[in-house]
Amino acid sequence: MKNKRSFYLTLNRLRVLSQITTILFLIAVPLLNIVGVHWILGTLYSISFGKLDIADPAIVAQTILLTWNLYIPLLIAALIPILIAFICGRVFCSWICPHNTISEWITAFQKRFMTKRWRQYQKKSKNVGIRVYFGILATLLLVTALFKTPLVSYLSPPGVISSQISQLIRGSGIGLELAIVLLIFIAEFFLFQRYWCKLLCPVGAMLGAFHWKGKLRVQFQAAECKCGKRPSPCQMACPLQLEPKKKNLYPACFNCGLCAKACENTGHKAIQLTF
Amino acid sequence: MIQSLTSIFSKITKSKTYLRPPGAVPEDEFISRCIKCSKCAQVCSYNSIKILHLNAGKDFGTPVIEAKDIPCYLCMECPRICPSGALDNALVDKEKVRMGLAVIDESKCLPFLGVICRSCYDECPIHRVAIVLEDELLPRIDAETCTGCGICESVCPAEEIAITIKPLSQLADKRK
Amino acid sequence: MALTRREFLKNSAASAAAAAIGVSLFANQSVFASETVWHKSVCRYCGVGCGVMLGVEGGKPVAVKGDTKNTINKGLLCVKGFYLHKVITGKDRLLKPLIRKNDKLVEASWDEAMELVAAKFKESIEANGPDSVAFYGSGQAETEETYVANKLFKGHIGTNNMEGNPRLCMASAVGGYLTTFGADEPVGSYDDLDHAEMFFLIGSNTAESHPVLYDRLVARKKANPSTKIVAIDPRKTPTNKIIDLHLQVKPGYDLAVMHAIAKVLIEEGYTDEKFISDSVNFSNGKEPITYEEYKTFLKKFTPEYASEQAGIPAEDIVKAAKLFGQTSRVVSMWTMGVNQRIAGVWLNNLIHNLHLLTGKLGKPGSDSLSLTGQPNACGGVREGGGLCHLLPAHRKVAKEAHRQQIADIWNVPVTNIQPKPGKHTMAMFDAISKGEIKNLYVMCTNPAHSLPNLNKYLQGMKDCFMVVAESFHPTETSKIADVVLPAAFWGEKEGVYGCTERRSQYMPKALKPQGEARWDADILIDLAKRLGHGKNFEHFKSAEDIWNEYLKCTKGKDMDLTGAPYSRLKEVRGLRWPVPSVDHPGTTHRFVEGDPLFPKDKAEGRRMYFYGKPDGKAVIFARPDKGPAEPVDAEYPIAMMTGRVLEHFHTSTMTGQVPQLVRAVPKPYVEVHPDDAKKIGLTDRGMAKVITRRGELELMVKLSDRPLPGNVFLPWHWPEKLSNLLTNDVFDPGSKEPEYKVCACKVEKA
């Protein structure tokens, strides 16, 4: 199957479909709630289907730190995301997170209408060191614990966006917290860099923490790398401005597979998304 | 050092006391436990539960009830769906809810001005128990059984609302 | 300023309230400093007749407080009365006349509006005769206003199509008093409430509909804890709080219970045989019968039979009867639960029966007291003769002598007044639907909201030429009117209200009318002039002139008010007729010594002489047992009851102006018993569809154990959900009062 020429193209189409479905889903849930359907509830902080609860591991970690208490149902609720992250990496970010979806749309806009500057910045792509990456997460959690402040909640764009959709539909309007998300979009628009998802986001970082060699990952085989283009198409395709061909791709990479698709496009298969 | 920093920080971000949904654990723990998922607001058929925006301060994302607009009708749907235990999942009896305590301001309450008015008494869900009428006229709150649902506050026809709910957090020392 | 006022109210009214309920509240007095001028008046709402003080500051109404010197309420008010001043300046006050042009109501000048009304009326009277026009008045209009309308329509236009909404409210009580005692209105007065040892409430939610009287019951019970209160009501109401025995009958099945009580009273020897032989006749409704025949008639009505009929334990009926018999002083009180029934008059008779059998009547603490729903249903419409068969001061159009007396006072030939009664309310609106009546003048009431089975009558009201004189717009009626005339509201006009206990009380004009609003009597006089009848209305320069002419009508009648001119009424807290001279204190009990009309010579030692009857004897009626017109059946299995709540009054045109009252009960709802809700699948505050043979409504459900399973209850206040789309328009053949109180419905999940 991997050898099929259009595999990564199809995979990417499915990914985009999942992103759009997520947004529609987030709109549908509060609408269904209003008409009295209550078996499906929640936002991207936590969502439940009937008795099945699913919670964001970052929020669960925050709750543990704030309460110094292990609430078993909440721990169980974090299991499914952890399991997925353990097997597939941060696919939540690339397949579901509405913040990334919107960021990708912004990038697409830049690529199309501000091509020159975008290329300039994209060429400067660089991987992030694992220590920096988890250092930031650790700092965030430390601050959370020390100041008894739910920092992760503030800094969870998927949570904020999804709960804002719910609040808006329930007639409570939108609030200042949306400004946090807008600020990220604006800053990144002018910086031409996706620092948030790559470095700062506690939600992504927490999922990235379940990082091991055996999970789904982007794998580069130098022997197959024959397109000879500079800058390489895979690097230009990366939404997080990472270098797929170098080491230290993880934990920043969220397995969107766009680099593999770009490689596939050149007729080669130097980059693969595999276990 | 850290302690003094903490206290300064909490002073800056000091929040109002809010009326929380039924089954809410004590305020400090509630703030820590609530994961801001909005489920309790979504399950509320009456739209009683609102989620605080950041505009309201550091407790943003947590659920509150503005009893004077839409009180809690004690349908008991929300406590069981809370994923984090910020609302007591085991709470099912509306009689056992203790969200706060109704307090009457006798300088505003109509019967204390010689006006026959029984709106709070008639609408109280713990009917004839949580609010009783002294001499069939003057409303008195029974602190033991008042759930703090705020229905009384929502219907009070006094010129300025005379019966208001003091949230549990303000009463921590007064009742258990 | 607001604070000072509140402080003041707190100290004056609350101490009065405390006195009323027998507790002491506020010891310290604060000083009241304000420019407020207080005007002694009467509450605008129900028929209790509470004395209120209207506070005016700089020409604006600022507060209402209870009149501590008024013996009815002793300073106490209900929440509606407390906010009366806010109604005066309410958001929906109509300030200019409106005329329908191109199917839209547009502002017009008074002259234009009145010309149009006069032209339309004239045209119709000339083309189709006087009976093609009609007047529909109100138990909330002043006596003076109703009197002018009566004079214009019956005496000058020459039609007896002159009705008022008390037809929908008090007509059965009138029928009961007339048939039993030969004279309308209660024998005793509120004074009896302070002496009674038992209260018997039938179809009366006193706590909500007459809150101040309820408080007097509470006070009585507090002063005398052995006082018993027994209620017959199909619903557990807030009144239940103070009752000792509740006979929760099936809606519409209480006649048998009353007979059973009578039977027990006789069998257990609780009757006053001397009183019966002195002052009582018996009748089966068609002809006189004997006491023995009455006893035979009662044979069927065992407590067991009544228990089966009404669905209540037979022991409870016996218990109630024994209490009635054993207690020396009993006051019965009832309202719409008795009157708004197809057997309304009969049920009234049956209540009087109990008092006549036991002689518990005409002495302090005993009375058969019908409570009135509107502030001037008794004064303006019953006494003023504002119904199609009546003339002022308890006279009848059918009686030649009565017509003559009134024609003389009105200065018209007696032939002007038709001897045949006009169309009663239901027949009137039926004739409007059929196009027989082409012009309708509506004053101070809201029939497009308050008539039963509205679907049947609304189109007719839209089609006819309808003039509505009203203080508020839009109401359901003003919305479909052709001309809407802005009427001055309470406080903006002077006049007299007569309440439940035959008491007439004066209301001053304390304010200038809002906008271009005019006093209703003034509008009617204007219309009279434009119709060419000005001559007999010209001398009405003020309300006092009208009152004085009305007093002439009452002279020598059973309701003699000659001793109650404005000069005296302004000073006192009302007077209870008969009050034949200015030095007479008024009458607390009729038909006994002390009543100025009591004929000692004819009475010959009898304690009571019912001078409305030729032989001075009241009548005990053997009325057959009768259920509701529309019993429940397989298709419509639930009995629907209607009623009121404390915070709203009738069609809420007034209470709807007060945000605080709207807040207290904002939405229409249907009360459903939890057992029924479970069966149907309804949830608290969810929606249900209530369907009758006449219409359907979607309403919010309020789960409540107040109605029994199998019954639902609808308050009727809200224009957005008209309960009267569902109610039954079948009426009592005697009083012509419709059966609002009970019909069959089905309830579904909406």
Side-chain angles (χ1 to χ4, degrees):
Chain A
M1 198 174 66
K2 271 180 204 163
N3 299 327
K4 220 175 143 194
R5 262 194 66 105
S6 61
F7 175 75
Y8 291 109
L9 183 69
T10 312
L11 191 69
N12 191 54
R13 282 192 181 139
L14 283 173
R15 191 180 67 92
V16 172
L17 186 69
S18 159
Q19 288 178 321
I20 291 168
T21 310
T22 302
I23 291 175
L24 293 177
F25 175 82
L26 291 175
I27 295 171
V29 169
L31 286 174
L32 285 170
N33 297 156
I34 287 171
V35 301
V37 177
H38 287 154
W39 61 267
I40 179 160
L41 290 167
T43 56
L44 292 178
Y45 288 118
S46 169
I47 205 146
S48 51
F49 302 88
K51 288 202 184 307
L52 176 69
D53 269 347
I54 300 170
D56 172 6
I59 291 287
V60 175
Q62 167 183 282
T63 309
I64 293 168
L65 288 173
L66 289 175
T67 57
W68 284 116
N69 177 296
L70 299 177
Y71 188 66
I72 305 301
L74 193 59
L75 294 179
I76 294 170
L79 282 181
I80 290 177
I82 290 172
L83 200 66
I84 292 171
F86 193 72
I87 298 168
C88 301
R90 286 168 55 197
V91 287
F92 166 80
C93 305
S94 51
W95 284 63
I96 291 171
C97 178
H99 182 84
N100 174 54
T101 308
I102 297 167
S103 294
E104 281 187 26
W105 293 343
I106 293 172
T107 308
F109 176 87
Q110 290 174 326
K111 205 168 169 178
R112 177 92 194 264
F113 297 103
M114 307 163 89
T115 319
K116 232 177 133 187
R117 284 182 68 197
W118 174 78
R119 283 186 66 86
Q120 214 178 317
Y121 283 103
Q122 188 76 12
K123 273 194 256 173
K124 292 186 202 159
S125 295
K126 215 178 148 201
N127 288 353
V128 181
I130 192 162
R131 266 181 236 156
V132 180
Y133 189 84
F134 287 123
I136 292 171
L137 176 66
T139 312
L140 267 176
L141 293 177
L142 195 67
V143 171
T144 298
L146 283 181
F147 291 96
K148 283 263 169 204
T149 303
L151 212 55
V152 180
S153 309
Y154 290 76
L155 300 179
S156 163
V160 169
I161 292 170
S162 58
S163 79
Q164 284 301 295
I165 293 173
S166 172
Q167 261 55 283
L168 189 63
I169 290 173
R170 292 191 70 81
S172 305
I174 51 168
L176 209 54
E177 59 270 37
L178 205 58
I180 300 173
V181 179
L182 288 178
L183 224 63
I184 297 170
F185 287 140
I186 291 166
E188 291 189 346
F189 182 84
F190 290 109
L191 294 172
F192 284 83
Q193 292 286 310
R194 293 277 304 280
Y195 288 123
W196 187 265
C197 301
K198 185 160 59 178
L199 264 180
L200 301 169
C201 179
V203 178
M206 184 52 76
L207 294 169
F210 303 96
H211 169 68
W212 65 295
K213 286 226 148 62
K215 72 164 188 214
L216 184 71
R217 50 177 39 238
V218 169
Q219 305 207 13
F220 174 60
Q221 290 158 287
E224 297 284 326
C225 183
K226 290 169 189 161
C227 75
K229 290 182 182 167
R230 284 293 175 274
S232 55
C234 52
Q235 181 180 332
M236 292 307 279
C238 178
L240 295 182
Q241 284 116 353
L242 300 169
E243 296 172 282
K245 290 197 263 182
K246 294 204 175 149
K247 288 190 170 167
N248 291 341
L249 190 57
Y250 290 92
C253 169
F254 57 35
N255 287 350
C256 68
L258 283 173
C259 51
K261 183 187 148 217
C263 187
E264 181 183 73
N265 220 16
T266 64
H268 301 91
K269 35 187 177 182
I271 294 186
Q272 300 278 358
L273 188 59
T274 62
F275 288 96
Chain B
M1 223 286 272
I2 286 169
Q3 263 187 340
S4 67
L5 261 179
T6 313
S7 77
I8 289 169
F9 191 75
S10 72
K11 254 177 206 158
I12 295 168
T13 57
K14 188 154 177 59
S15 56
K16 289 205 300 178
T17 47
Y18 296 105
L19 186 62
R20 302 298 186 181
V25 295
E27 183 70 6
D28 285 349
E29 196 189 341
F30 181 80
I31 297 281
S32 304
R33 278 199 175 222
C34 172
I35 62 166
K36 302 158 180 54
C37 66
S38 301
K39 285 181 200 171
C40 50
Q42 292 174 334
V43 84
C44 180
S45 306
Y46 311 107
N47 216 3
S48 310
I49 302 177
K50 298 278 192 316
I51 301 296
L52 280 182
H53 287 306
L54 186 58
N55 320 34
K58 79 168 175 89
D59 295 336
F60 107 90
T62 58
V64 294
I65 292 175
E66 281 293 345
K68 87 175 169 17
D69 301 330
I70 310 174
C72 172
Y73 292 103
L74 299 176
C75 68
M76 306 313 290
E77 287 293 319
C78 55
R80 66 180 177 81
I81 56 93
C82 179
S84 68
L87 306 179
D88 177 3
N89 296 161
L91 185 66
V92 279
D93 296 337
K94 65 175 184 181
E95 289 79 9
K96 291 194 180 138
V97 172
R98 296 291 180 270
M99 300 158 67
L101 179 65
V103 176
I104 295 173
D105 181 341
E106 293 181 6
S107 72
K108 295 174 183 164
C109 178
L110 297 181
F112 291 88
L113 304 175
V115 176
I116 299 175
C117 173
R118 292 185 291 261
S119 302
C120 59
Y121 169 80
D122 276 341
E123 294 298 319
C124 177
I126 313 299
H127 197 48
R128 294 182 178 178
V129 175
I131 303 180
V132 292
L133 292 182
E134 187 182 317
D135 290 302
E136 303 306 321
L137 183 68
L138 308 174
R140 302 283 186 202
I141 309 297
D142 177 39
E144 294 302 309
T145 48
C146 172
T147 63
C149 67
I151 292 176
C152 50
E153 185 174 340
S154 79
V155 299
C156 175
E159 204 129 7
E160 286 171 66
I161 293 169
I163 184 166
T164 45
I165 303 296
K166 292 273 169 280
L168 200 60
S169 50
Q170 284 184 13
L171 302 159
D173 50 339
K174 289 184 198 150
R175 59 197 298 230
K176 284 269 145 51
Chain C
M1 180 60 83
L3 197 77
T4 346
R5 187 172 307 120
R6 193 182 308 125
E7 287 286 315
F8 175 71
L9 287 172
K10 180 173 152 177
N11 285 301
S12 63
S15 46
I21 59 171
V23 294
S24 61
L25 287 174
F26 303 101
N28 58 329
Q29 292 286 320
S30 79
V31 185
F32 181 63
S34 169
E35 302 304 307
T36 311
V37 182
W38 296 96
H39 298 268
K40 170 183 85 76
S41 192
V42 192
C43 182
R44 173 68 179 75
Y45 289 110
C46 76
V48 171
C50 295
V52 301
M53 305 293 277
L54 169 60
V56 177
E57 229 173 80
K60 297 221 157 56
V62 292
V64 160
K65 59 175 181 171
D67 179 357
T68 48
K69 290 192 185 132
N70 192 301
T71 53
I72 296 176
N73 58 319
K74 302 179 181 91
L76 202 62
L77 286 181
C78 82
V79 62
K80 295 186 292 296
F82 176 74
Y83 282 123
L84 248 179
H85 61 289
K86 295 201 176 193
V87 181
I88 303 175
T89 51
K91 62 178 181 6
D92 292 340
R93 273 304 295 269
L94 178 63
L95 305 175
K96 281 193 161 148
L98 303 175
I99 286 181
R100 189 169 294 279
K101 279 181 182 161
N102 300 324
D103 213 32
K104 258 206 177 118
L105 285 168
V106 294
E107 284 185 0
S109 73
W110 266 106
D111 203 47
E112 192 187 352
M114 291 308 292
E115 259 322 296
L116 176 64
V117 176
K120 278 282 189 181
F121 271 67
K122 221 182 241 172
E123 182 193 311
S124 182
I125 294 163
E126 276 163 17
N128 308 301
D131 283 339
S132 68
V133 303
F135 176 90
Y136 186 61
S138 169
Q140 296 164 53
E142 295 169 339
T143 304
E144 291 83 348
E145 292 162 345
T146 302
Y147 180 78
V148 172
N150 221 354
K151 182 171 175 178
L152 173 60
F153 279 80
K154 288 188 188 141
H156 291 79
I157 292 174
T159 178
N160 287 338
N161 290 338
M162 197 277 177
E163 273 278 295
N165 60 15
R167 178 68 75 185
L168 311 178
C169 155
M170 299 308 304
S172 297
V174 177
Y177 278 123
L178 278 175
T179 46
T180 298
F181 303 119
D184 187 20
E185 299 192 42
V187 177
S189 64
Y190 291 155
D191 293 12
D192 296 320
L193 305 185
D194 302 335
H195 303 286
E197 287 178 341
M198 173 185 164
F199 294 99
F200 192 29
L201 306 174
I202 310 109
S204 164
N205 178 5
T206 321
E208 292 198 88
S209 297
H210 300 96
V212 168
L213 292 186
Y214 171 79
D215 202 76
R216 285 183 70 164
L217 302 196
V218 173
R220 176 63 189 155
K221 208 164 176 172
K222 195 174 168 72
N224 183 19
S226 65
T227 306
K228 294 279 183 265
I229 303 179
V230 177
I232 298 187
D233 201 301
R235 179 171 165 254
K236 286 194 193 92
T237 66
T239 313
N240 273 46
K241 191 67 198 303
I242 56 163
I243 68 181
D244 299 283
L245 177 62
H246 183 196
L247 309 183
Q248 196 167 7
V249 295
K250 283 196 294 186
Y253 290 93
D254 41 7
L255 273 75
V257 177
M258 300 306 289
H259 278 314
I261 291 174
K263 184 177 161 69
V264 175
L265 285 175
I266 293 171
E267 281 172 1
E268 302 275 330
Y270 292 120
T271 51
D272 182 340
E273 297 297 329
K274 171 152 189 349
F275 182 80
I276 292 173
S277 68
D278 276 356
S279 306
V280 177
N281 285 325
F282 292 85
S283 164
N284 62 10
K286 294 181 192 81
E287 56 198 1
I289 55 172
T290 63
Y291 192 8
E292 287 313 310
E293 283 171 318
Y294 174 64
K295 287 180 186 167
T296 317
F297 164 82
L298 285 182
K299 267 203 177 120
K300 172 181 156 195
F301 295 98
T302 58
E304 290 69 30
Y305 172 80
S307 136
E308 203 177 292
Q309 289 279 301
I312 51 169
E315 311 83 84
D316 283 357
I317 300 174
V318 177
K319 220 186 274 174
K322 284 189 174 166
L323 268 177
F324 196 106
Q326 286 158 359
T327 317
S328 58
R329 297 190 287 268
V330 184
V331 172
S332 295
M333 298 195 286
W334 65 96
T335 326
M336 294 311 127
V338 168
N339 294 341
Q340 290 176 338
R341 298 271 299 279
I342 48 158
V345 176
W346 292 3
L347 192 46
N348 268 273
N349 292 144
L350 302 193
I351 298 169
H352 300 317
N353 282 0
L354 304 184
H355 288 270
L356 290 172
L357 282 172
T358 54
K360 286 169 186 156
L361 197 68
K363 47 189 178 191
S366 286
D367 194 23
S368 189
L369 181 68
S370 147
L371 303 181
T372 321
Q374 300 189 91
N376 201 29
C378 287
V381 177
R382 284 160 74 170
E383 297 159 21
L387 295 174
C388 66
H389 62 298
L390 298 176
L391 286 170
H394 290 169
R395 288 182 176 85
K396 290 192 171 122
V397 293
K399 288 198 176 161
E400 168 90 47
H402 287 179
R403 288 201 304 281
Q404 187 63 55
Q405 290 155 1
I406 291 299
D408 289 346
I409 292 170
W410 284 351
N411 191 26
V412 291
V414 68
T415 49
N416 268 25
I417 306 174
Q418 290 192 43
K420 193 171 155 274
K423 290 201 157 59
H424 62 81
T425 298
M426 296 318 294
M428 183 190 279
F429 283 93
D430 198 39
I432 289 166
S433 295
K434 289 178 181 144
E436 292 161 18
I437 291 175
K438 296 177 179 4
N439 292 305
L440 175 66
Y441 189 108
V442 178
M443 181 175 87
C444 194
T445 183
N446 191 3
H449 184 144
S450 59
L451 288 176
N453 190 11
L454 276 170
N455 282 326
K456 189 169 158 189
Y457 302 102
L458 281 177
Q459 193 53 45
M461 292 166 78
K462 284 177 192 159
D463 292 344
C464 83
F465 179 78
M466 183 162 70
V467 185
V468 175
E470 176 59 82
S471 301
F472 305 95
H473 176 76
T475 70
E476 289 307 291
T477 313
S478 77
K479 273 198 302 209
I480 57 170
D482 295 283
V483 177
V484 191
L485 304 172
F489 186 64
W490 179 88
E492 300 170 346
K493 57 187 185 183
E494 70 175 338
V496 174
Y497 267 1
C499 72
T500 294
E501 57 158 358
R502 295 175 278 109
R503 188 194 299 238
S504 293
Q505 301 188 90
Y506 170 82
M507 300 179 290
K509 175 175 172 171
L511 297 158
K512 260 183 31 208
Q514 300 261 310
E516 294 178 19
R518 281 165 71 183
W519 181 37
D520 270 312
D522 183 37
I523 304 171
L524 286 165
I525 292 167
D526 188 348
L527 179 62
K529 287 177 183 162
R530 288 175 200 261
L531 291 174
H533 305 300
K535 169 171 74 76
N536 285 334
F537 293 85
E538 265 163 359
H539 61 287
F540 291 156
K541 302 284 184 221
S542 68
E544 187 164 12
D545 296 334
I546 303 171
W547 181 252
N548 286 340
E549 184 173 308
Y550 173 61
L551 291 193
K552 280 192 217 161
C553 302
T554 71
K555 191 169 174 57
K557 296 295 293 181
D558 65 336
M559 52 144 307
D560 198 332
L561 273 164
T562 325
Y566 269 19
S567 55
R568 191 173 176 205
L569 285 176
K570 280 177 187 173
E571 297 306 318
V572 298
R573 264 63 183 175
L575 287 164
R576 286 172 285 199
W577 55 255
V579 44
S581 61
V582 285
D583 51 7
H584 192 275
T587 306
T588 55
H589 293 89
R590 304 166 79 192
F591 314 123
V592 291
E593 266 206 70
D595 176 352
L597 304 177
F598 184 71
K600 261 193 193 156
D601 46 336
K602 284 193 207 162
E604 292 164 338
R606 296 189 244 171
R607 188 171 68 80
M608 292 192 84
Y609 188 89
F610 297 95
Y611 44 72
K613 294 279 185 190
D615 58 355
K617 287 185 171 184
V619 182
I620 285 179
F621 282 98
R623 299 291 196 190
D625 170 20
K626 195 169 176 180
E630 192 181 61
V632 293
D633 55 26
E635 201 186 346
Y636 295 91
I638 292 177
M640 186 186 103
M641 309 177 283
T642 60
R644 275 193 43 203
V645 300
L646 169 63
E647 294 86 348
H648 285 293
F649 186 72
H650 292 187
T651 65
S652 73
T653 44
M654 291 185 285
T655 48
Q657 308 298 319
V658 183
Q660 285 85 352
L661 296 175
V662 172
R663 187 184 145 77
V665 196
K667 277 204 285 192
Y669 62 89
V670 55
E671 254 178 30
V672 183
H673 191 278
D675 292 356
D676 287 340
K678 214 170 184 184
K679 264 189 246 159
I680 305 165
L682 304 175
T683 52
D684 193 31
R685 301 186 81 80
M687 296 302 279
K689 201 186 270 180
V690 184
I691 306 161
T692 68
R693 290 184 173 84
R694 295 155 294 278
E696 58 177 67
L697 272 187
E698 260 186 43
L699 290 160
M700 186 182 87
V701 174
K702 214 168 162 179
L703 293 190
S704 167
D705 63 351
R706 284 178 179 174
L708 284 171
N711 300 339
V712 294
F713 172 78
L714 267 77
W716 68 291
H717 306 292
W718 294 272
E720 62 267 35
K721 295 284 162 92
L722 294 166
S723 66
N724 278 325
L725 293 170
L726 311 182
T727 47
N728 195 350
D729 59 338
V730 63
F731 51 81
D732 182 311
S735 65
K736 326 291 186 210
E737 179 164 343
E739 188 160 66
Y740 286 97
K741 281 292 159 186
V742 44
C743 68
C745 74
K746 56 184 168 188
V747 181
E748 291 172 359
K749 199 174 155 69

